[in-house]
Amino acid sequence: MSPRTARPRHYLMCRPAHFTVDYSINPWMDPAKPTDNGAALAQWEQLHTLFLRLGHTVELIAPVPGLPDMVFAANGATVIDGKVLVARFRYPQRAAEAPAYAAWFRENGYRDVRQAAHTNEGEGDLLVAGGRILAGSGFRTDTRAHAEAARYLDREVVTLELTDPRYYHLDTALAVLDDTEIMYYPGAFTPGSRAVLERLYPDAVLATAADAQVFGLNAVSDGRHVILPEAAVHLAERLRGRGFTPVGVNLTELLRAGGSVKCCTLELRH
Ligand code: ARG
């Protein structure tokens, strides 16, 4: 089995101080069900602490009142080589997050900060895999944004089409494990996109429907540790079999909004 080495990462996160579910823009969100802000904060804090304990650097953006989904920092932008492509959210409920993220980058010394022209939900749909970007579409990010990202971030972009509304962002159905390896749930993709994934990643780790349903693919890897929802037990076993170290976390309160580990974590690449 290949030895796995962790590379220290730089992340941006947003404390869920104003987290709640008071609108519905994906099938997981039911405003009729009460949320527990204290539980969301405590679960998120465990993820934050875990990243620090694993030796990663975590920056924090101030949560904005009235933007309950801002905790899902992955959606704020895509950052490669210090270049920042700021999101353009599909739904008006999240639109004001984009200027908040843009301001954070400008205030923190990023000089190349561009507001996306086309609908683009950041790393929710644009996953950086080595030299390429795997780009989701179908529910949120516009395919014109894929071309925009390819030009601005100077990477090859592979468009993947999502079909199941429960897996509305690419990062709910696929995770990058290292520069050349991924894991995904085939059932979330069109037959054409499944064929693309099989061709590019013949050895990918495949998730079961049960793993996907608990958001097991919404994971963050540092090349060795794979942080994922603890309920994704089959997936954890498969990752162990490949020499990764799965680390399960409990983010069930945030799952009420349709998000988990990866959604909370934006990677800053310099
Ligand atoms: N409620 C949020 C939305 O529907 C959840 C976003 C989750 N983020 C992610 N990267 N998948 O937009």
Side-chain angles (χ1 to χ4, degrees):
M1 207 179 326
S2 51
R4 302 287 178 184
T5 35
R7 184 159 51 78
R9 307 294 170 121
H10 196 176
Y11 297 129
L12 177 61
M13 298 180 76
C14 180
R15 194 167 263 118
H18 309 293
F19 177 75
T20 184
V21 175
D22 58 12
Y23 53 78
S24 180
I25 54 172
N26 72 54
W28 302 86
M29 302 175 84
D30 181 356
K33 289 193 189 139
T35 48
D36 178 342
N37 189 262
L41 278 163
Q43 292 179 350
W44 179 92
E45 203 51 68
Q46 289 197 359
L47 178 65
H48 178 222
T49 306
L50 175 62
F51 284 141
L52 297 177
R53 196 155 52 73
L54 291 173
H56 304 305
T57 304
V58 182
E59 310 284 347
L60 296 175
I61 178 172
V64 176
L67 296 177
D69 274 335
M70 196 172 165
V71 57
F72 301 118
N75 302 138
T78 308
V79 186
I80 302 182
D81 300 337
K83 288 164 104 175
V84 183
L85 184 57
V86 177
R88 179 175 293 278
F89 287 87
R90 171 155 169 123
Y91 294 109
Q93 292 94 330
R94 297 196 67 184
E97 293 181 41
Y101 277 94
W104 186 90
F105 282 104
R106 293 202 176 97
E107 283 157 18
N108 283 272
Y110 289 78
R111 272 178 305 192
D112 217 339
V113 180
R114 180 184 296 194
Q115 167 63 60
H118 298 288
T119 303
N120 166 336
E121 297 207 345
E123 284 197 328
D125 276 318
L126 301 177
L127 293 176
V128 180
R132 64 167 73 106
I133 297 174
L134 301 176
S137 73
F139 296 100
R140 299 286 178 93
T141 297
D142 194 309
T143 49
R144 286 173 298 179
H146 295 182
E148 185 182 13
R151 271 195 311 275
Y152 177 60
L153 298 171
D154 195 23
R155 288 290 187 287
E156 173 206 357
V157 169
V158 177
T159 291
L160 299 168
E161 214 181 319
L162 298 161
T163 51
D164 183 331
R166 289 174 301 166
Y167 308 116
Y168 56 92
H169 273 147
L170 183 63
D171 75 354
T172 66
L174 184 152
V176 174
L177 297 171
D178 64 20
D179 284 353
T180 59
E181 290 169 280
I182 65 166
M183 59 179 178
Y184 66 98
Y185 171 54
F189 296 90
T190 58
S193 293
R194 275 207 298 267
V196 170
L197 287 169
E198 282 163 20
R199 180 170 55 77
L200 292 176
Y201 301 98
D203 297 324
V205 176
L206 300 183
T208 63
D211 289 325
Q213 174 72 28
V214 294
F215 259 44
L217 281 320
N218 199 245
V220 170
S221 173
D222 64 16
R224 175 176 183 176
H225 310 97
V226 182
I227 320 306
L228 79 174
E230 63 186 2
V233 287
H234 304 106
L235 198 53
E237 205 40 55
R238 285 177 192 181
L239 288 166
R240 219 172 272 119
R242 298 291 183 97
F244 290 100
T245 305
V247 185
V249 292
N250 177 13
L251 286 178
T252 46
E253 200 54 34
L254 295 175
L255 190 52
R256 292 162 174 273
S260 191
V261 179
K262 173 59 204 170
C263 300
C264 293
T265 315
L266 176 63
E267 185 163 348
L268 305 175
R269 301 176 189 80
H270 302 283

